């Protein structure tokens, strides 16, 4: 026993020494030695709380507790915690159970926290007073919240027996933690209780105070005192570098006339945390002021004003002269400032002002100020300035809402009623949450300044604001973080640094919320009668549009395509009754469906980053969910030629969503078409096609672009250790482009003897325009002189591997600049140069000048106006004459022409099979086209056959589409009919999409 007592005494001594050191470093005024009285008072305060419930287990000191400073919490406390000095373990468990089954209670730490409660955030005086509360010690300052503030506590040193600490989020390295002070603090030094007044305080009640405002000339009392019941409390407003709030006093009940009082002295802003609606107060030494923009004079506090609880025995009503008593205290009614328009009668609704007590049950969107109350109401705090309070808002927090607007049926995708507080009302904290804050994702933490901009600069009404917040959340979910960064997407928008999120929504917001909306006037919003604010009147919002994930859009398109697949519709009677089983199944093998934006309700907007696939050679739109192949035209009959569009955000409201259905079936006859069991296999190809002129193209800053190609690495602007100012380039005029297909290549010397696999590739042929140019600053130097001026400048470029991504941008008749980054290399663009490989297609083994484009090389279009060698080159696409096309003469078997596709079907490739040949039956795609001729009233029809290795056909070969075909092989059948087929040199360019009036359903013909 003696040993145990000795150990206990040693532990207490060590604890006391630690307390003495802590008090010296943290609580004692800087430069002064530790006061024995201060140490004794601190330890007495700790003992008083520790021994208050008799559960000290025989110890007079809380030896398991250690002192903690503000700096300790900031530096070392990374997780939320709470500390309750007088609680036993069972009390804490009972308290934690009330966090609910869905929440994790705040973990308990055994920490002793002391500090000075202050309304100063630093060492400065007036400039740092904004109505917030802080706890301060020698190591720093922390913001805090307190449920029921007694103004006499401010400026005094306290022990806080019950408190919780919320550290800043991990992603916010510059953020500040926040304290929640549970219950009343324990003063270290006895608080001085001010004695009551010797004589009753002369006061004015609200009705007489209002009369005096209208007869200021008869005001004999220079600084009167006002008394009454607090019936209205406004938000704490920060406007034009000045902070203030407004409180309204009434004589007995809210039904009586109330008089507003403006509190704008910095040292008095902390009153906002001490005021409770329903309690009675006295405000001393008020004065009368004229507020700009407000027609009447108002009462304001003076620097010497005090806030006191109203005790009837300590006040005496000030009597007024008889003429003043006969004056109506109510001011003349102001003319209505309603914004109702005649055409909107019946559409505009009025919100309802009320007071409400509730508990936060869900954080919907913290940066946007959106929460859920009591599981059934929405709460929007965006129209107030509540940055400090938002740090503690989480499920379990109790709030009192004064003069809050109730809006029902706001639309825009919001189904529940919404409470929204304007500047006239107050959001008061009435209870802390026992729950540990949930770990916020990056997308849930950024964008607060952008949402404020929507309310304060764009002046959005609540229905449109709720939709915009939801839209921004959807857009961030589509694009962040793998395509874009959250903080950059949701940043504050300025002319020099526009927000991508706001840029995307600007067209919709400009149409629904004109930029000339009136600017909010806080004084009018709080003091004006009748009350008018952005929440007062509203119109139910029809959802303008949605932004589906590309994978979801693709799935919905496939669902609709198969839901509308009906063999009887595709091959109707009596046509179906005359077809054999084989013909019938081939007619059903391919069909298509085109969905326009009008097919979706609400309208859907196509959004994604434009990427180039090196595996498929097509363009794609990409978001977080996946990618969607796309076919783009710059405008009617104008192909896409600028590769610099890769990596840009594309927003399209006008588009055609195409689903090509591929069905394998074995219907015996038309009589069984309604029996789905005869369908053996079905698959779909989904893509989208649109004009760039109908789309919004937004460049993405390169540092924030995460993925611009299908391989996941940015190919839009390759980076190299040599820096962006080194490189060389060469201009070339493209004369012909061949098909994108898998080809066999000659193996380079010393390669593996294994048979190489066919490689996806394509070729272009053209002519060099001048010599190689070197990078000079931001431009290109003069062309280097040619060694042999008489050498043929014709060149054939091979694109394989990653360079296949340029396929959709290369078109005949265009001038391009082929660029190679890095230091200069001799003869880089010459055959036999360091970059040239010996690999070439087998069919081009005898080609004289052949160059393989390297993966890191890039392309840019160049204007041909300033290049003399190009001025005489015709821009029109070469076309064969009608005689050459339709004659049976095969002297010139390669033909080119423009045509409109009339039908597309699947058929057996029997035309290619020689008599007696064996093997699996091959299939091909048959296009029937109408040739475009100027001198024929009835354009002739021609059949075009596509077979392997050109299957599946390129995107966009749909009925009623206009297409340019070049270097098709013309053939003549045994019955002397002319037809064409694809070959390796064939190039296809879609000139126009099917008209929207004909894109209804999915037969292979229209």
């Amino acid at each position: 026993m003696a040993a145990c007592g000795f150990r206990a005494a040693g532990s207490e001594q060590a604890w006391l020494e630690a307390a003495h050191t802590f008090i010296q470093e943290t609580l004692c005024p800087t430069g002064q030695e530790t006061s024995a009285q201060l140490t004794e008072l601190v330890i007495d305060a700790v003992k008083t709380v520790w021994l208050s419930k008799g559960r000290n287990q025989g110890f007079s000191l809380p030896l398991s507790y250690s002192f903690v400073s503000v700096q300790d919490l900031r530096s070392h406390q990374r997780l939320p915690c709470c500390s309750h000095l007088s609680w036993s373990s069972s009390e804490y468990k009972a308290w934690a159970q009330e966090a609910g089954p869905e929440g994790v209670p705040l973990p308990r730490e055994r920490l002793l926290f002391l500090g000075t409660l202050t309304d100063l955030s630093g060492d400065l005086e007036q400039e740092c007073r904004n109505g917030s509360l802080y706890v301060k010690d020698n190591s720093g300052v922390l913001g805090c919240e307190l449920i029921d503030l007694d103004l006499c506590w401010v400026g005094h040193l306290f022990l806080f027996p019950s408190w919780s600490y919320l550290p800043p989020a991990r992603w916010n390295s510059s953020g500040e933690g926040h304290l929640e002070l549970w219950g009343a603090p324990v003063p270290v030094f006895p608080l001085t209780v001010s004695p009551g007044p010797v004589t009753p305080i002369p006061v004015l009640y609200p009705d007489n105070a209002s009369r005096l405002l209208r007869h200021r000339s008869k005001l004999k009392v220079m600084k009167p005192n006002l008394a009454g019941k607090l019936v209205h409390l406004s938000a704490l407003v920060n406007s034009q570098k000045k902070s203030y709030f407004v409180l309204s006093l009434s004589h007995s009940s809210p039904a009586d006339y109330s008089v507003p009082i403006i509190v704008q002295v910095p040292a008095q802003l902390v009153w906002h945390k001490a005021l409770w609606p329903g309690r009675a107060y006295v405000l001393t030494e008020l004065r009368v002021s004229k507020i700009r923009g407000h027609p009447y004079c108002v009462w304001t506090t003076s620097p010497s004003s005090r806030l006191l609880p109203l005790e009837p025995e300590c006040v005496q009503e000030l009597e007024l002269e008889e003429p003043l008593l006969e004056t109506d205290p109510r001011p003349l009614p102001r003319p209505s400032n309603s914004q109702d328009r005649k055409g909107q009668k019946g559409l505009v609704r009025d919100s309802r002002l009320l007071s409400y007590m509730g508990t936060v049950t869900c954080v919907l969107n913290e940066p946007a100020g959106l929460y859920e109350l009591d599981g059934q109401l929405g709460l929007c705090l965006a129209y107030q300035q509540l940055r400090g309070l938002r740090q503690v808002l989480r499920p379990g927090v109790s709030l009192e809402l004064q003069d809050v607007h109730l809006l029902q049926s706001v639309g825009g995708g919001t189904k529940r009623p919404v409470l929204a507080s304007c500047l006239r009302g107050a959001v008061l904290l009435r209870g802390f949450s026992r729950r540990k804050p949930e770990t916020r994702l990056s997308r849930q933490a950024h964008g607060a300044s952008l949402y404020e901009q929507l309310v304060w600069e764009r002046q959005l009404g609540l229905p449109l604001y709720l939709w915009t917040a939801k839209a921004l959340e959807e857009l961030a979910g589509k694009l962040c973080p793998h395509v874009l960064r959250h903080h950059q997407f949701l940043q504050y928008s300025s002319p020099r640094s526009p927000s991508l999120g706001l840029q995307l929504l600007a067209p919709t917001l400009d149409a629904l919320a004109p930029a000339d909306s009136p600017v909010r006037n806080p004084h009018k919003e709080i003091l004006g009668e009748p009350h008018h604010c952005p929440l007062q009147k509203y119109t139910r919002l029809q959802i303008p549009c949605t932004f589906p994930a590309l994978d979801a859009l693709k799935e919905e398109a496939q669902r609709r395509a198969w839901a509308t697949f009906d063999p009887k519709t595709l091959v109707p009677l009596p046509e179906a009754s005359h077809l054999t089983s084989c013909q019938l199944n081939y007619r059903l093998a391919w069909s298509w469906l085109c969905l326009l934006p009008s097919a979706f309700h609400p309208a859907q907007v196509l959004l994604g980053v434009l990427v180039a696939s090196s595996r498929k050679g097509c363009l794609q739109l990409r978001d977080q969910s996946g990618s969607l192949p796309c076919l783009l035209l710059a405008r009617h009959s104008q192909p896409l030629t600028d590769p610099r569009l890769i990596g840009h955000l594309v927003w399209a409201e006008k588009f055609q969503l195409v689903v090509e259905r591929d069905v394998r079936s074995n219907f015996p006859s038309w009589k069984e078409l309604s029996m789905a069991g005869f369908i053996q296999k079905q698959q779909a190809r989904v893509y989208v096609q649109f004009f760039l002129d109908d789309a919004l193209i937004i460049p993405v800053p390169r540092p924030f672009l995460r993925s611009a190609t299908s391989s996941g690495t940015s190919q839009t602007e390759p980076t190299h250790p040599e820096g962006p100012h080194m490189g060389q380039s060469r201009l070339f005029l493209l004369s012909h482009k061949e098909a994108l297909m898998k080809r066999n290549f000659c193996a380079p010397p010393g390669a593996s003897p294994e048979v190489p696999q066919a490689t996806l590739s394509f070729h272009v042929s053209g002519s060099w325009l001048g010599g190689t140019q070197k990078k000079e600053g931001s431009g290109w130097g003069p062309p280097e002189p040619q060694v042999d001026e008489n050498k043929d400048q014709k060149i054939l470029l091979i694109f394989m591997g990653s360079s296949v991504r340029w396929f959709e941008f290369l078109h005949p008749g265009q001038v391009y600049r082929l660029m190679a980054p890095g230091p200069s290399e001799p003869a880089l663009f010459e055959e036999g140069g360091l970059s040239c490989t010996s690999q070439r297609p087998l069919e081009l083994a005898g080609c004289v000048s052949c160059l393989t484009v390297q993966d890191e090389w890039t392309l840019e279009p160049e204007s041909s106006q300033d290049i003399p060698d190009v001025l005489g080159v015709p821009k029109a696409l070469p076309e064969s004459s009608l005689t050459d096309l339709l004659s049976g003469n095969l002297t010139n078997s390669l033909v080119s022409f423009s045509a409109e596709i009339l039908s597309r079907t699947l058929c057996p490739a029997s035309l290619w099979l020689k008599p007696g040949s064996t093997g699996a039956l091959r299939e091909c795609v048959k296009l029937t086209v109408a040739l475009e001729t100027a001198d024929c009233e009835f354009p002739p029809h021609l059949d075009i056959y596509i077979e392997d290795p050109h299957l599946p056909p390129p995107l966009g070969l749909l009925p009623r589409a206009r297409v340019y075909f070049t270097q098709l092989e013309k053939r003549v059948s045994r019955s002397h009919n002319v037809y064409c087929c694809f070959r390796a040199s064939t190039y296809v360019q879609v000139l126009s999409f099917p008209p929207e009036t004909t894109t209804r359903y999915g037969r292979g013909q229209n």
Side-chain angles (χ1 to χ4, degrees):
M1 293 295 293
C4 292
F6 179 77
R7 285 196 296 270
S11 299
E12 288 189 0
Q13 183 61 34
W15 189 92
L16 290 172
E17 290 177 359
H20 183 274
T21 302
F22 173 83
I23 295 169
Q24 169 65 34
E25 296 177 351
T26 308
L27 303 179
C28 188
T30 306
Q32 298 183 15
E33 294 188 4
T34 307
S35 167
Q37 181 188 12
L38 175 60
T39 303
E40 183 179 352
L41 289 173
V42 168
I43 294 175
D44 286 346
V46 172
K47 282 184 176 180
T48 300
V49 177
W50 173 247
L51 300 174
S52 60
K53 294 190 176 180
R55 302 189 184 97
N56 49 53
Q57 299 176 351
F59 296 100
S60 60
L61 293 172
L63 302 182
S64 60
Y65 282 76
S66 59
F67 289 90
V68 65
S69 67
V70 167
Q71 184 61 35
D72 292 336
L73 288 176
R74 282 174 146 180
S75 303
H76 306 299
Q77 191 62 40
R78 303 298 184 188
L79 298 175
C81 67
C82 68
S83 180
H84 303 279
L85 178 57
S86 63
W87 286 12
S88 64
S89 297
S90 58
E91 285 177 309
Y92 168 73
K93 289 180 181 178
W95 177 86
Q97 286 178 354
E98 296 184 19
E102 298 180 358
V104 178
L106 285 164
R108 185 183 185 185
E109 298 286 348
R110 298 180 181 273
L111 299 172
L112 295 173
F113 184 64
L114 295 97
T116 301
L117 192 63
T118 178
D119 60 343
L120 292 169
S121 60
D123 295 330
L124 300 177
E125 292 290 331
Q126 303 288 349
E127 291 77 12
C128 290
R129 283 194 163 110
N130 58 7
S132 299
L133 275 178
Y134 305 89
V135 174
K136 174 182 175 183
D137 63 17
N138 293 343
S139 67
V141 177
L142 268 180
C144 69
E145 293 294 335
L146 191 62
I147 299 298
D148 192 2
L149 174 67
D150 189 330
L151 291 177
C152 70
W153 295 345
V154 178
H156 293 277
L157 179 63
F158 287 95
L159 165 69
F160 301 101
S162 295
W163 54 275
S164 51
Y165 174 67
L166 310 177
R170 293 182 179 179
W171 53 265
N172 187 8
S173 58
S174 61
E176 299 286 341
H178 212 73
L179 285 166
E180 297 173 331
L181 304 180
W182 299 68
V186 177
V188 173
F189 296 95
L191 298 178
T192 304
V193 180
S194 58
V198 179
T199 58
I201 302 174
V203 298
L204 291 173
Y205 286 102
D207 50 355
N208 286 340
S210 179
R211 291 187 177 97
L212 279 178
L213 283 179
R214 305 187 66 184
H215 298 275
R216 284 191 299 162
S217 60
K218 298 183 179 181
L219 183 61
K220 296 180 179 180
V221 182
M222 295 303 297
K223 290 186 177 180
N225 309 313
L226 265 63
K229 181 180 179 181
L230 180 64
V231 291
H232 297 293
L233 181 63
S234 80
L236 184 59
V237 180
N238 294 304
S239 174
Q240 298 178 351
K241 299 182 180 181
K242 180 180 288 187
S243 299
Y244 63 91
F245 68 90
V246 179
L247 61 91
S248 297
L249 299 180
S250 177
H251 190 63
S252 58
S253 67
D256 292 338
Y257 178 74
S258 60
V259 58
I261 303 168
I262 298 179
V263 180
Q264 57 187 5
V265 178
Q268 298 166 0
L269 296 178
V270 73
W271 293 1
H272 195 271
K273 294 187 177 294
L275 290 166
W276 282 66
R279 295 181 183 179
Y281 297 95
V282 175
L283 279 83
T284 67
E285 300 188 40
L286 302 182
R287 59 187 180 187
V288 177
S289 298
K290 184 73 171 67
I291 303 298
R292 180 182 298 179
H294 187 63
Y296 305 110
C297 295
V298 294
W299 292 106
T300 63
T301 59
S302 65
S304 57
S305 297
R306 292 187 300 157
L307 175 67
L308 305 171
L310 175 59
E311 299 177 3
E313 65 275 9
C314 297
V315 299
Q316 180 179 0
E317 184 174 4
L318 188 65
E319 296 183 2
L320 299 181
E321 297 178 0
E322 196 66 27
L324 291 178
L325 294 175
E326 297 174 358
T327 305
D328 186 1
R330 300 177 184 270
L332 296 175
R334 297 182 58 197
S336 175
N337 193 27
S338 173
Q339 291 187 343
D340 287 0
R341 300 176 183 175
K342 294 181 180 179
Q344 293 180 330
K345 189 173 182 180
L347 298 177
V348 177
R349 308 183 182 192
D350 289 314
S351 62
R352 181 181 163 198
L353 273 177
L354 49 84
S355 295
Y356 186 84
M357 285 279 292
T359 301
V360 177
T361 49
C362 182
V363 178
L364 303 177
N365 187 334
E366 181 180 337
L370 301 178
Y371 305 86
E372 179 190 77
L373 280 181
D374 299 329
Q376 56 187 356
L377 290 172
L379 173 63
C380 177
L381 302 180
Y383 293 82
Q384 284 200 3
Q385 300 160 325
L386 298 170
R387 295 180 181 177
L389 183 60
R390 286 190 190 183
Q391 296 185 62
V392 301
L393 286 182
R394 60 188 187 277
V397 168
S398 297
L399 297 176
E400 178 182 354
L401 306 175
Q402 282 288 318
D403 293 325
V404 65
H405 291 266
L406 173 64
L407 296 87
Q408 304 186 66
S409 300
V410 297
T414 301
K415 299 181 180 180
R416 69 182 82 192
V418 180
L419 295 173
S421 188
C422 69
L423 297 179
R424 186 167 186 165
V427 180
L428 306 174
L429 186 64
R430 292 296 178 248
F432 294 118
S433 172
R434 295 169 170 82
R435 291 190 187 183
K436 177 182 177 181
E438 297 178 356
T439 302
R440 291 185 294 174
L441 302 176
S442 180
R443 64 181 176 85
Q444 298 171 323
H446 295 291
S449 59
L450 176 61
Y451 290 112
E452 289 181 7
Q453 188 176 15
L454 293 173
V455 170
W456 293 93
E457 295 182 21
R458 294 299 300 253
Q459 306 291 324
L460 298 189
L462 183 67
L464 186 55
Y465 176 78
L466 294 177
W467 175 83
T468 303
K470 184 178 180 181
L472 285 172
E473 203 167 14
E474 286 182 6
L475 293 174
K478 280 175 60 66
L479 302 174
C480 305
H482 297 305
V483 179
L484 301 170
R485 306 292 180 101
H486 281 99
H487 71 274
Q488 192 262 350
F489 181 74
L490 295 173
Q491 71 179 2
Y492 179 86
S493 187
S494 64
R496 291 186 177 181
S497 181
S499 163
L500 285 176
L502 201 54
Q503 279 184 284
L504 291 173
L505 293 179
T508 305
L509 297 183
D510 290 342
L512 297 176
D516 58 351
S517 301
V519 178
R520 291 176 73 181
N521 184 319
H523 282 115
K524 284 186 178 180
E525 192 168 314
I526 297 173
L527 299 172
E529 291 294 344
H531 173 58
H532 180 72
C533 73
L535 303 172
Q536 182 63 27
K537 294 184 178 293
Y538 66 100
T539 304
R540 179 178 174 83
L541 178 69
Q542 299 296 326
I543 299 178
C545 56
T546 58
F547 313 94
L550 294 179
D551 264 9
L553 185 64
K554 190 187 302 184
E555 290 176 6
E556 175 63 14
Q558 292 186 29
R559 186 193 68 78
R560 294 194 183 197
W562 295 120
T564 56
F565 178 73
D566 184 6
K568 290 184 176 181
T569 303
L570 296 175
V571 190
L573 289 174
E575 179 185 4
S577 62
H578 301 291
L579 299 178
T580 66
S581 174
C582 181
Q583 292 173 328
L584 183 65
N585 288 303
Y586 271 119
R587 288 289 300 273
L588 296 173
W590 184 89
S591 58
W592 68 296
L593 176 70
C594 182
L595 297 172
L596 301 177
S598 58
F600 299 93
H601 301 283
Q604 302 204 347
V605 173
L606 196 64
L607 177 67
V609 175
L610 186 65
V611 301
S613 172
S614 59
R615 291 184 291 111
K616 298 183 178 180
C618 68
L619 295 178
Q620 298 174 336
L621 289 180
R622 167 165 294 183
D623 64 10
Q624 287 282 99
S625 67
S627 59
L628 180 65
C630 59
L631 176 61
L632 274 66
L633 294 180
R635 57 183 65 86
H636 190 72
S637 299
Q638 294 294 320
L640 193 66
T641 60
D642 192 353
R644 289 170 296 189
L645 292 174
I646 295 177
H648 283 47
L649 273 175
V650 177
W651 164 294
E653 295 184 56
K654 294 179 63 177
F655 58 87
Q656 295 179 2
L657 185 60
V658 178
V659 186
E660 295 185 9
R661 296 177 292 216
D662 188 10
V663 175
R664 294 294 178 267
S665 60
N666 59 351
F667 289 101
S669 69
W670 64 273
K671 297 179 181 179
E672 289 81 18
L673 287 180
S674 60
M675 302 173 65
F678 289 101
I679 297 178
Q680 299 170 318
K681 180 182 178 182
Q682 59 185 32
Q683 59 186 18
R685 179 167 72 160
V686 184
Y687 58 94
V688 66
Q689 52 191 27
F690 57 91
F691 294 103
L692 279 186
D693 280 358
D694 294 333
L696 178 66
I697 309 298
I698 301 177
V700 179
R702 291 292 188 251
F704 299 99
L705 185 60
R706 300 293 296 272
S707 176
T709 64
S710 61
S711 59
T713 58
S714 177
Q715 300 287 352
T716 59
E717 189 174 328
T719 58
H720 299 273
E722 295 84 8
H725 300 295
M726 300 186 68
Q728 49 192 331
S729 68
R730 197 168 184 184
L731 294 175
F732 72 93
L733 172 65
L734 194 152
S735 57
H736 178 68
K737 180 173 78 169
E738 299 196 354
L740 177 67
M741 55 184 287
K742 289 189 176 182
R743 291 177 169 86
N744 293 315
F745 283 81
C746 298
S752 171
E754 296 181 5
V755 178
Q757 299 246 347
T759 304
L760 185 67
S761 64
F762 70 98
H763 320 139
V764 301
S765 58
S767 302
W768 292 121
L769 301 177
T772 301
Q773 297 173 266
K774 294 183 179 179
K775 191 77 172 177
E776 291 184 358
S778 59
W780 297 98
E784 295 179 352
Q786 299 293 308
V787 177
D788 184 1
E789 295 291 344
N790 297 322
K791 183 180 178 180
D792 189 1
Q793 295 297 307
K794 291 184 178 180
I795 183 68
L796 187 134
L797 300 176
I798 303 174
F799 293 80
M800 56 188 295
S802 182
S803 64
V804 167
R805 67 187 184 275
W806 305 117
F807 179 78
E808 290 291 339
F809 297 99
L810 294 170
H811 300 281
Q814 303 293 327
V815 177
Y816 296 90
R817 183 180 294 277
L818 185 61
M819 298 176 293
S824 299
E825 298 179 12
L828 181 68
F829 299 116
E830 302 288 342
E831 186 174 34
L834 296 177
S835 64
C836 188
T837 68
S838 59
Q839 281 185 308
R840 61 179 64 200
L842 293 176
E843 69 268 21
L844 298 174
C847 182
V848 176
S849 183
C850 181
L851 182 66
T852 302
V853 176
Q854 303 300 298
D855 291 348
E856 68 273 12
W857 292 2
T858 57
L859 285 168
E860 282 187 5
E862 286 286 339
S863 173
S864 59
Q865 296 179 357
D866 302 327
I867 304 175
D869 297 340
V870 188
L871 294 179
V873 178
K875 297 294 183 183
L877 297 172
E879 295 195 6
S880 304
S881 66
L882 193 60
T883 303
D884 290 339
L885 281 173
L886 302 180
S887 70
N889 185 0
L890 297 180
T891 304
N892 186 6
S893 64
L894 296 181
V895 294
S896 303
F897 55 85
S898 298
E900 178 183 318
I901 298 177
L902 300 179
S903 67
R904 172 175 165 178
T905 56
L906 193 69
C907 62
S910 56
L911 295 173
W912 280 264
L913 294 178
K914 297 180 180 180
S917 62
T918 59
L921 181 64
R922 293 180 296 173
E923 295 177 338
C924 68
V925 172
K926 174 186 173 183
L927 302 177
T928 300
V929 302
L931 300 177
E932 293 186 352
T933 57
D935 53 353
C936 277
E937 182 180 358
F938 300 100
H941 295 182
L942 191 67
D943 290 337
I944 301 173
Y945 293 89
I946 311 172
E947 66 163 356
D948 277 334
H950 303 286
L951 294 178
L955 304 181
L957 299 186
L958 303 171
R960 297 303 306 274
R962 290 181 57 249
V963 182
Y964 172 70
F965 300 92
T966 183
Q967 293 202 10
L968 287 172
E969 182 180 1
K970 184 177 73 171
R971 296 182 182 180
V972 179
S973 69
R974 295 173 184 173
S975 57
H976 305 290
N977 292 323
V978 176
Y979 65 93
C980 295
C981 62
F982 273 44
R983 54 172 287 163
S985 62
T986 299
Y987 161 69
V988 176
Q989 176 182 326
V990 176
L991 300 177
S992 65
F993 305 131
E996 293 187 356
T997 55
T998 62
T999 53
R1000 295 186 297 272
Y1001 63 95
R1003 290 188 64 184
Q1005 57 190 13
N1006 277 38

